[in-house]
Amino acid sequence: MRGQTTAKRALEVASAAKFLGDKGGAAGVVVWSTEKQEGYLEVRGLPALDPAKEQYQLWIVDPSKKQPVDGGVFDVSPDGTAVVRVRAPIEQVGGCF
């Protein structure tokens, strides 16, 4: 049990508030391991897109960076869910937003 407690402390979990606008039913959860410098974003409720034409893009807001950081692009399944792996180092993209 003690090892499990330590492992749980090494993970940071953040729940995203529901998004506003026409995607009002969408929500997500981020799980990040500082030790491993990797994590996952799980989203649900996003409209499925035609991946040949459009993809979603993950932007990471890091207080230590001046600009949002590009976390990559991803597709959602027809039911509106996706699990996206995020790994460091993530390159900062200038001139975004």
Side-chain angles (χ1 to χ4, degrees), residues 10-14 29-43 58 60 71-72 74 82-90:
L11 296 177
E12 297 177 40
V13 179
V29 174
V30 175
V31 178
W32 180 257
S33 169
T34 303
E35 179 181 327
K36 293 182 179 182
Q37 287 294 291
E38 67 179 32
Y40 293 89
L41 164 67
E42 177 184 343
V43 295
L58 173 61
I60 300 166
F74 63 96
V83 176
V84 181
R85 185 175 183 189
V86 181
R87 295 175 59 182
I90 299 171

Side-chain angles (χ1 to χ4, degrees), residues 31-86:
V31 178
W32 180 257
S33 169
T34 303
E35 179 181 327
K36 293 182 179 182
Q37 287 294 291
E38 67 179 32
Y40 293 89
L41 164 67
E42 177 184 343
V43 295
R44 62 187 177 285
L46 288 175
L49 303 174
D50 178 352
K53 296 178 182 177
E54 297 178 295
Q55 292 182 297
Y56 287 98
Q57 184 160 7
L58 173 61
W59 289 101
I60 300 166
V61 178
D62 181 341
S64 70
K65 309 281 186 195
K66 291 183 180 182
Q67 297 288 332
V69 178
D70 181 357
V73 295
F74 63 96
D75 300 312
V76 297
S77 63
D79 69 356
T81 62
V83 176
V84 181
R85 185 175 183 189
V86 181

